[in-house]
Amino acid sequence: MGLLTGDGLWTAGIFMAIFLLLVDLMHRRQRWTARYPPGPVPLPVLGNLLQINFQNMPAGFQKLRCRFGDLFSLQLAFEPVVVLNGPAALREVLVNYNEDTADRPPMHTVEHLGFGPHSQGVILAHYGPAWREQRRFSVSTLRHFGLGKTSLEQWVTEEAGCLCAVLTDYAGHPFSPNTLLDKAVCNVIASLLYARRFEYDDPRLIRLLDLLKDTLEEESGFLPMFLNVFPMFLRIPGLVDKVFSGKKAFMVTLDELVTEHKMTWDPDQPPRDLTDAFLAEVEKAKGNPESSFNDVNLRLVVSDLFTAGMVTTSTTLSWALLLMILHPDVQRCVQQEIDEVIGQVRHPEMADQARMPFTNAVIHEVQRFSDIVPFGVPHKTSRDIEVQGFLIPKGTILITNLSSALKDESTWEKPLQFHPEHFLDAQGRFVKPEAFMPFSAGRRACLGEPLARMELFLFFTCLLQRFSFSVPAGHPRPSDHGVFGALTTPSPYQLCAVPR
Ligand code: HEM
Ligand SMILES: *[C@@H]1O[C@H](CO)[C@@H](O)[C@H](O)[C@H]1NC(C)=O
């Protein structure tokens, strides 16, 4: 009983505080070298957690960069973090040190989904055998997809056709293109994963997209970050289900699709899609406990490809249309190039890209300007590394400011403006400066880049081949400032699509 009275509580409290301070000190001692990047003074235990403005991360970080320079440090509770700025530092860390910086920080908030030693999905997987196996599998499935039947390019071309058919129905009335773009891009991922597409009014497609949105929202912000650095709170009964209810429901929907798929799976036929190929690997790996091909990991891999491949691509396309209505002169030049190289009848193909430097430059400039994943995905050092004279010890979380490369003043003539000439030389040939890294770089760079490139090119050219886009009459000119959330999205806008 004594323990619960005032005195006992005080003693316990003081012990607890001393204990936490000691743990804190232990974590921080190794940072006390003169060559560790500078940063704001952290509070005990919490570190700089309270100094981060989760409502507007870029603005808050901007101040720190001004004060401390291109490489600066933060302390998120017990986790040391270094923020990297500038194309040179980013290349050095991601490419030159690729082996030593390819790990990811621990994500305790995904353990409830089945994340474990042999089931880590791809995005958040530690740098080790489970990641290597799944990365290789995804890359090679993407590359060899549909050797037998429909190729990924055919799927994308067909989907672009469906998208254009719906735009015709709007008959020039103002609308917001975002939901439609989400659906079209979602269908491309669905074709890769399940060899199927959904009609745009299919309730399951609508639900899948809603849940995906919820998932992204509940994974960003203060609470998930807090729970990740203080994982003991995740044990509070019912908390995980409440905070991550969207993710749970999303996974259940994916499970249903896989279950349906298993019923029609014939191991003797060539795989129809990524799920079939995965199931075949699971069969092969039966009896090998070390393998990452298992049912738990199937749902994690599928969910990773969905989340990584969906909103990124559709958000970029939404930026592309926005920038076209804001820059009608650029839109006209793209259409002129389409008319010259492809004409008005034939569908665009990937092979056309090489002969369309201007369109290619516009798509790259859309990605550079829109800068949708400004901070990339965090990495972690698995060895001490030395960058630009600073020492970054093993076990430090790295935040790669991709934005600092995409908006670098010494690379780009007009870093803050939409200027497709950034990607053209004096003769009008396409060029790609090294600082262009919206997919990051090195071992962990986006594995979906070839698919994303294909979707951006085919959707964009199909749309501009058939329609001219404009700001609806009487509407104010929309802003080209992004809204920072899980991704940087354009501010809400509407447009008119008039058949050409
Ligand atoms: C415009 C579209 C896209 C952009 C801007 C983008 C950007 C990125 C970025 C910045 C990363 C983090 C790289 C790093 O950790 O350094 C990443 C990782 C990843 N992306 Fe993409 N991505 C796009 C489309 C896609 C698509 C279509 C897919 C799948 C089909 C995909 C799958 C992945 C996966 C699986 C990873 C994790 C790779 C790993 O950890 O090894 N992405 N992406
Ligand atoms: C990231 O880079 C952008 C563009 O250079 C800059 O405005 C921003 O302050 C940087 N953020 C951090 C965290 O350093």
Side-chain angles (χ1 to χ4, degrees), residues 72-73 82 107 144 238 254 258 288 323 330 347 413-414 462 472:
F72 63 86
S73 62
V82 167
M107 281 293 279
H144 303 298
L254 295 186
V258 170
N288 173 8
L323 289 163
V330 175
H347 289 307
E413 198 188 324
K414 301 175 180 171
C462 279

Side-chain angles (χ1 to χ4, degrees), residues 87-88 90-91 95 405-406 411-412 423 431-438 440-441:
L90 286 171
R91 287 235 149 241
V95 182
L406 296 180
T411 307
W412 313 102
F423 294 90
V431 283
K432 184 157 83 176
E434 275 213 324
F436 180 77
M437 43 173 103
S440 187

Side-chain angles (χ1 to χ4, degrees), residues 56 58 62 77 106 124 234 245 281 322 392-393 408 471 476 481 489 496:
N56 191 349
Q62 170 83 30
L124 301 174
L234 286 168
S245 59
E281 294 292 335
L322 172 66
I392 306 180
D408 178 46
V471 179
H481 283 282
T489 52
C496 282

Side-chain angles (χ1 to χ4, degrees), residues 32-321:
W32 291 343
T33 103
R35 290 165 63 216
Y36 189 62
V41 179
L43 297 171
V45 186
L46 288 176
N48 307 108
L49 216 49
L50 301 181
Q51 284 144 284
I52 296 179
N53 178 354
F54 285 86
Q55 254 61 57
N56 191 349
M57 292 239 278
F61 278 155
Q62 170 83 30
K63 288 196 201 120
L64 295 176
R65 184 181 176 188
C66 288
R67 210 167 125 207
F68 297 105
D70 278 356
L71 262 72
F72 63 86
S73 62
L74 290 170
Q75 182 82 25
L76 298 185
F78 302 133
E79 303 283 1
V81 176
V82 167
V83 181
L84 305 160
N85 277 294
L90 286 171
R91 287 235 149 241
E92 201 175 332
V93 165
L94 292 171
V95 182
N96 303 2
Y97 279 118
N98 63 17
E99 275 249 42
D100 309 329
T101 59
D103 202 8
R104 295 276 193 224
M107 281 293 279
H108 302 287
T109 46
V110 290
E111 278 155 16
H112 69 109
L113 300 172
F115 193 93
H118 305 297
S119 51
Q120 309 191 0
V122 189
I123 307 178
L124 301 174
H126 287 290
Y127 184 54
W131 168 77
R132 201 164 289 116
E133 203 166 45
Q134 289 310 322
R135 170 128 189 155
R136 198 171 293 150
F137 171 76
S138 293
V139 168
S140 84
T141 311
L142 272 171
R143 189 174 302 148
H144 303 298
F145 186 89
L147 277 183
K149 276 173 76 195
T150 327
S151 71
L152 217 39
E153 180 168 350
Q154 275 167 282
W155 278 108
V156 179
T157 306
E158 270 168 42
E159 196 59 47
C162 299
L163 182 60
C164 287
V166 178
L167 290 198
T168 313
D169 293 343
Y170 280 93
H173 291 295
F175 70 101
S176 161
N178 296 351
T179 312
L180 270 178
L181 294 172
D182 284 347
K183 289 176 176 175
V185 172
C186 187
N187 272 338
V188 173
I189 299 281
S191 68
L192 167 69
L193 299 175
Y194 308 118
R196 67 166 292 174
R197 66 178 296 275
F198 299 88
E199 292 302 325
Y200 291 160
D201 54 4
D202 187 331
R204 283 174 90 180
L205 176 61
I206 294 166
R207 186 172 149 76
L208 205 57
L209 290 175
D210 283 346
L211 290 175
L212 194 56
K213 260 205 191 94
D214 295 348
T215 306
L216 289 175
E217 269 162 31
E218 65 196 21
E219 277 169 8
S220 53
F222 179 76
L223 191 59
M225 166 116 60
F226 179 84
L227 288 172
N228 204 42
V229 289
F230 295 112
M232 51 277 202
F233 288 103
L234 286 168
R235 304 235 184 92
I236 298 175
L239 185 80
V240 165
D241 287 347
K242 202 168 155 69
V243 179
F244 300 109
S245 59
K247 182 80 182 190
K248 270 240 148 91
F250 179 66
M251 299 297 268
V252 168
T253 310
L254 295 186
D255 286 345
E256 285 167 14
L257 287 168
V258 170
T259 309
E260 258 172 46
H261 205 74
K262 276 183 178 163
M263 295 197 286
T264 55
W265 178 49
D266 180 356
D268 299 326
Q269 293 294 316
R272 295 164 292 180
D273 47 47
L274 187 135
T275 306
D276 275 1
F278 198 103
L279 290 171
E281 294 292 335
V282 174
E283 283 300 312
K284 269 197 250 166
K286 283 254 155 77
N288 173 8
E290 295 300 308
S291 171
S292 66
F293 289 104
N294 48 60
D295 284 337
V296 180
N297 210 16
L298 172 57
R299 70 200 295 249
L300 292 178
V301 169
V302 163
S303 142
D304 274 1
L305 293 175
F306 241 113
T307 18
M310 237 291 294
V311 203
T312 43
T313 312
S314 61
T315 302
T316 309
L317 285 168
S318 175
W319 273 107
L321 293 183

